[in-house]
């Protein structure tokens, strides 16, 4: 896991979430209206989920890869990261 200090961690914003989704191939427009859609509904396959997990580890130092499924929503992803960061 990447070494990230607490001072480097920041809130997981809607903009962060939208950026992650767009970076892995979600179709624009991406905003709060799709955050409760599953990765399957967003046509994000296992490769896209793996890329999301890698970016989350890089930015927030939280490993979520094993917990991301086709049924996971972006909102659930954000909650996973926020809970892990808050638990440090």
């Amino acid at each position: 896991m990447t070494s990230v200090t607490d001072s480097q961690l920041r809130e997981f914003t809607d903009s962060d979430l939208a950026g992650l989704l767009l970076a892995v191939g979600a179709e624009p427009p991406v905003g709060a209206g799709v955050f409760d859609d599953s990765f399957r509904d967003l046509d994000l396959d296992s490769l896209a989920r793996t890329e999301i997990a890698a970016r989350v580890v890089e930015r927030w130092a939280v490993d979520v890869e094993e917990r991301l499924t086709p049924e996971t929503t972006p909102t659930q992803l954000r909650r996973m990261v926020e809970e892990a960061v808050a638990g440090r």
Side-chain angles (χ1 to χ4, degrees):
M1 199 174 327
T2 305
S3 177
V4 178
T5 64
D6 288 340
S7 64
Q8 291 173 306
L9 296 173
R10 63 178 172 75
E11 183 181 357
F12 196 144
T13 66
D14 281 357
S15 179
D16 294 325
L17 196 50
L20 275 175
L21 296 173
L22 289 170
V24 300
E27 292 294 322
V30 173
V34 301
F35 293 165
D36 290 324
D37 293 346
S38 70
F39 289 133
R40 181 188 323 269
D41 292 339
L42 296 171
D43 292 323
L44 297 178
D45 61 12
S46 61
L47 182 59
R49 292 191 310 273
T50 298
E51 179 64 23
I52 287 171
R55 289 170 184 259
V56 167
V57 166
E58 182 179 307
R59 177 63 192 94
W60 288 277
V62 174
D63 185 1
V64 295
E65 187 168 6
E66 296 288 322
R67 296 169 54 192
L68 297 183
T69 70
E71 292 76 32
T72 303
T73 68
T75 297
Q76 291 169 326
L77 166 64
R78 179 175 21 206
R79 192 171 305 125
M80 287 177 209
V81 173
E82 290 173 341
E83 287 173 359
V85 169
R88 291 186 181 154

